[in-house]
Amino acid sequence: MKRLVLLSSLTASVLLAHTATAQDGPERRRRYYSSQARAYYRGPVRFTVGGGAAFYNGDLAGNFSDNLPGPSASLGVLYLLRPRLVIGGEATYFQVGAKDQLPERGLAFRGRNVSGVTFLRYELLRDESQFATPKRPASLIKPYVKAGAGFLLYSPKAYRGTLRPDDRTNYLESERNDYPALGLVAPVGFGVVFRLTPQLNATAEASYYFTSTDQLDDISPVSGRSSSSLNDGYGLAEIKLEYAPWGR
């Protein structure tokens, strides 16, 4: 069931790309109009690949110094709905970890996770290249904000220590027996797009993900390891490339 939910999210992204591509031929391109009655085309489809670092926020660590950051990698698709508004879907693998901010408790964890999200991205500056008849050259730099929702498969392992786990680490008994467990996520973030060519962009992005679980770290009141029932969260800082195979 968990894999089916994540697969459905990825399938939706692929279908979005297929539908948009099918309408991208010159004989099929339909004109839309903004609130200022300016014509624009939807699209093109952009495929994204990115990588960076993941950071945890929860029962163990509320600041960066107690984090044991892990890598992240993402694949996604973007599609222009109207000038300044982009819809997207993305699948991300990431690893988070932290040591205890309470030395007397002495806990730590490592978690390996996969998320699938859909989001809207709003560009803060107008880009004339998104209109059918641009009045100025394309914008080279575009800041944006984003928000969305999706699913998370999380699989943490808690242990005692202050360092990253290794082959000799003895993990504590899991709080639940169904890891990887399924949760909900709601990302919010901001970023900057750098136009490299008409078909290729580079993006620097930072996002924070609110989650529906207090067990992203396998430490909660369920086992008595923590007295806090606040949900955990995490952040991603990534550099991405956006490529439009059918862009103009």
Side-chain angles (χ1 to χ4, degrees):
M1 177 62 183
K2 299 167 187 173
R3 292 184 176 86
L4 179 60
V5 171
L6 186 58
L7 181 61
S8 298
S9 177
L10 297 178
T11 302
S13 297
V14 173
L15 290 176
L16 171 65
H18 174 76
T19 301
T21 302
Q23 298 175 350
D24 201 40
E27 73 285 354
R28 296 184 179 182
R29 298 195 85 191
R30 175 183 171 184
R31 284 195 170 203
Y32 297 85
Y33 293 87
S34 69
S35 57
Q36 291 79 36
R38 293 193 61 187
Y40 65 91
Y41 299 112
R42 289 181 175 173
V45 174
R46 291 185 179 272
F47 296 97
T48 70
V49 58
F55 306 90
Y56 157 86
N57 179 37
D59 297 329
L60 284 187
N63 55 63
F64 183 80
S65 63
D66 295 317
N67 255 263
L68 300 173
S72 70
S74 63
L75 293 172
V77 60
L78 299 171
Y79 184 66
L80 181 72
L81 288 178
R82 57 182 298 115
R84 300 171 68 170
L85 186 62
V86 176
I87 188 172
E90 191 169 63
T92 304
Y93 167 83
F94 64 97
Q95 181 173 309
V96 289
K99 61 180 181 178
D100 210 328
Q101 59 186 339
L102 301 176
E104 64 275 14
R105 191 169 53 177
L107 296 173
F109 90 101
R110 180 211 66 198
R112 292 172 175 167
N113 318 276
V114 177
S115 67
V117 301
T118 300
F119 58 86
L120 289 174
R121 188 169 93 178
Y122 181 73
E123 296 171 351
L124 301 178
L125 299 178
R126 177 183 294 177
D127 183 357
E128 283 290 323
S129 69
Q130 296 174 347
F131 292 97
T133 54
K135 298 178 181 179
R136 293 186 298 275
S139 298
L140 299 180
I141 299 176
K142 295 185 293 184
Y144 65 85
V145 292
K146 63 180 285 188
F151 300 94
L152 171 70
L153 288 177
Y154 57 100
S155 184
K157 290 185 176 181
Y159 59 95
R160 297 192 180 278
T162 59
L163 302 176
R164 294 180 184 274
D166 55 31
D167 294 338
R168 296 170 296 177
T169 299
N170 293 316
Y171 294 103
L172 302 177
E173 183 179 356
S174 297
E175 288 192 333
R176 51 194 298 173
N177 58 12
D178 62 344
Y179 290 131
L182 179 66
L184 301 176
V185 291
V188 294
F190 64 91
V192 181
V193 177
F194 302 90
R195 180 183 174 94
L196 303 180
T197 73
Q199 292 180 292
L200 184 65
N201 293 335
T203 301
E205 182 180 281
S207 300
Y208 185 80
Y209 289 69
F210 297 93
T211 80
S212 64
T213 179
D214 183 31
Q215 294 178 309
L216 187 66
D217 48 15
D218 199 38
I219 295 170
S220 74
V222 170
S223 62
R225 296 172 188 164
S226 171
S227 58
S228 171
S229 59
L230 296 177
N231 289 344
D232 301 321
Y234 63 93
L236 298 177
E238 292 190 313
I239 300 296
K240 302 178 183 180
L241 290 177
E242 305 175 358
Y243 179 63
W246 307 282
R248 292 174 172 80

